[in-house]
Amino acid sequence: MNLFKKVILKFILTNQASSVGRNNEENRHKWIEKVLQNIPDGNRILDAGAGEQPFKKFCTHLSYVSQDFSQYNPNNSGVGIQKETWTYGNIDIVSDIINIPEPDSSFDAVLCTEVIEHVPDPVKAICELSRLLKRKGLLIITAPFCSITHFAPYHYSTGFNRFFYEKHLSDLDFDIIEIESNGNFFEYLAQELKFLPGVASKYAKVKLNYEEKIYINSLMLMLDKLSKADTNSSELLCYGYHVLARKR
């Protein structure tokens, strides 16, 4: 390999597109923070499927109540993607999401983020969240459009497109205020491409060599270029949807 080619390959390897495929969680957290900050002070909010309660910090102006079934343990399954550690902390209500022990119309808002793919019957879960909401109350939902196995064995759906929300939220007497796609087709491909070395090692017992990693980085640079030129590829595939709806 001549010196010029070595320099070019090193440049590609060390100058991977910095953001493409890496902003799923950041986009979601920014949107959730914005929505939560716009809820009036003192409103009572339920964080359904709160997990480690990462959004509690955005609810200091609200009366925050957390709920979770509190059964996930990353040490119980080696299948798919698992967290290295997991701590629920102090969950206010430990229950099944389809049977939360609170009276009808108990909350001004309900937050349910990256949860319904882990629920055996997501529509039944949304029905329960609707029961708990006051009239004109806000429902805040995010979930993947498409996801690989994670948090097994509690992973029952690979994802939801916008038509799922438009159908079921309308049937459950919600008006959708906002439905926002997170990412696009090219960003999603880049996100999954990041996993290729690890997946190749675990499932194919192959460790990618230097040139193969160069190919991956070249693809990432191409996906970054295509993402910046994107018009509406999110209708095909994206990270997921952010949904804000109001109960009628």
Side-chain angles (χ1 to χ4, degrees):
M1 186 185 295
N2 61 43
L3 180 61
F4 178 74
K5 187 175 181 181
K6 285 182 179 179
V7 170
I8 294 299
L9 292 179
K10 184 175 182 180
F11 174 82
I12 294 172
L13 186 61
T14 58
N15 288 272
Q16 179 172 303
S18 60
S19 62
V20 66
R22 300 175 184 274
N23 53 9
N24 182 353
E25 184 174 283
E26 179 183 357
N27 292 346
R28 184 168 63 252
H29 283 219
K30 284 181 178 178
W31 183 83
I32 291 169
E33 179 180 9
K34 177 192 71 175
V35 171
L36 291 174
Q37 287 179 343
N38 286 330
I39 297 175
D41 291 3
N43 274 201
R44 191 169 188 240
I45 185 168
L46 175 68
D47 189 352
E52 295 186 306
Q53 304 174 68
F55 305 110
K56 185 176 182 178
K57 62 188 175 186
F58 302 141
C59 298
T60 54
H61 63 299
L62 304 172
S63 176
Y64 175 88
V65 179
S66 59
Q67 177 277 334
D68 205 289
F69 80 149
S70 298
Q71 293 181 27
Y72 173 66
N73 184 337
N75 298 319
N76 287 346
S77 173
V79 176
I81 295 177
Q82 300 286 345
K83 291 287 187 178
E84 291 185 7
T85 61
W86 187 261
T87 304
Y88 282 101
N90 211 4
I91 296 291
D92 298 307
I93 302 171
V94 176
S95 73
D96 192 318
I97 197 170
I98 65 171
N99 188 19
I100 298 173
E102 285 276 325
D104 294 357
S105 306
S106 295
F107 295 93
D108 301 288
V110 171
L111 172 67
C112 186
T113 177
E114 308 302 288
V115 172
I116 59 174
E117 73 271 27
H118 302 293
V119 176
D121 190 335
V123 176
K124 189 177 289 187
I126 296 172
C127 285
E128 177 68 351
L129 301 183
S130 174
R131 179 187 71 80
L132 295 170
L133 269 174
K134 296 177 182 178
R135 186 171 176 273
K136 303 297 182 183
L138 294 176
L139 178 63
I140 307 155
I141 294 183
T142 75
F145 182 103
C146 180
S147 65
I148 58 180
T149 303
H150 62 289
F151 283 36
Y154 307 109
H155 185 230
Y156 304 106
S157 301
T158 55
F160 307 87
N161 64 26
R162 67 177 301 126
F163 307 111
F164 171 88
Y165 301 108
E166 289 172 353
K167 161 65 176 171
H168 294 296
L169 291 180
S170 177
D171 288 349
L172 292 170
D173 289 328
F174 282 96
D175 291 317
I176 294 177
I177 300 170
E178 181 179 352
I179 181 163
E180 171 185 285
S181 61
N182 180 9
N184 58 43
F185 178 87
F186 308 109
E187 289 180 294
Y188 181 88
L189 292 185
Q191 174 182 258
E192 300 310 305
L193 195 56
K194 290 186 304 170
F195 292 116
L196 184 55
V199 173
S201 176
K202 181 175 180 178
Y203 294 99
K205 309 303 179 189
V206 172
K207 185 175 181 179
L208 300 186
N209 62 35
Y210 182 81
E211 289 199 355
E212 288 165 337
K213 290 179 180 178
I214 297 271
Y215 298 148
I216 292 174
N217 280 28
S218 298
L219 286 171
M220 293 289 279
L221 289 167
M222 179 190 69
L223 290 169
D224 184 51
K225 176 183 176 181
L226 294 172
S227 180
K228 288 173 179 174
D230 180 66
T231 53
N232 192 32
S233 68
S234 60
E235 71 179 17
L236 297 176
L237 184 62
C238 60
Y239 299 137
Y241 283 97
H242 305 157
V243 182
L244 177 63
R246 176 174 284 116
K247 188 175 178 181
R248 294 177 193 140

